Amino acid sequence: GPPPPPPPPAISSSSVGSSRKEGCGSGGGGARLGMFLVTNLGARLFIESGVVKLSSSGPTWWNLSALEWHFESQCIPHYMSYYAHQLPPLWLKRLSVSIVYFILIGCPYLLYIPLWPLRHFSWMA
């Protein structure tokens, strides 16, 4: 029979967005839009994952004792999970849950503030 048709051309990063070759830092419209969309998606995912913890009916998220159960109920626990559950005091576990809330719900909003040190802090958190 006849030979199979050739495969469609691959989509490369240079064929998406602008027709000029631009990096993220060159100030091109396509690169800025792409960075904004990725930043917006990441911020929304972080905020929503923090809000869903608070909107669940589980009291452990509200009284900050979720880590008391986390180490015991992991799907595939690490061999050190038993020791992680036993060692830290309750106040440290509650502080850790509070820090998680700050990172998930508070830090993504810093991505939209036009001050570079705050944006970098938000990305690093």
Side-chain angles (χ1 to χ4, degrees):
I11 297 176
S12 68
S13 63
S14 63
S15 65
V16 177
S18 177
S19 61
R20 297 182 318 208
K21 295 209 176 211
E22 299 174 336
C24 286
S26 65
R32 285 185 181 191
L33 177 62
M35 281 300 293
F36 173 76
L37 292 175
V38 168
T39 300
N40 193 24
L41 176 65
R44 287 179 52 201
L45 287 174
F46 267 63
I47 293 167
E48 289 171 4
S49 65
V51 168
V52 77
K53 287 172 177 47
L54 290 174
S55 64
S56 69
S57 60
T60 59
W61 289 110
W62 280 101
N63 65 13
L64 304 177
S65 64
L67 282 181
E68 284 292 310
W69 300 99
H70 171 72
F71 297 120
E72 296 176 359
S73 63
Q74 294 181 49
C75 296
I76 304 175
H78 192 268
Y79 71 94
M80 297 294 288
S81 294
Y82 172 79
Y83 302 106
H85 176 70
Q86 301 298 324
L87 287 178
L90 181 61
W91 67 267
L92 184 59
K93 292 177 187 174
R94 290 183 181 204
L95 177 66
S96 299
V97 174
S98 301
I99 291 171
V100 165
Y101 283 145
F102 172 72
I103 291 172
L104 290 178
I105 299 173
C107 283
Y109 290 107
L110 298 177
L111 292 171
Y112 300 106
I113 296 176
L115 298 173
W116 281 106
L118 291 177
R119 282 187 179 182
H120 285 222
F121 172 76
S122 181
W123 273 109
M124 292 300 142

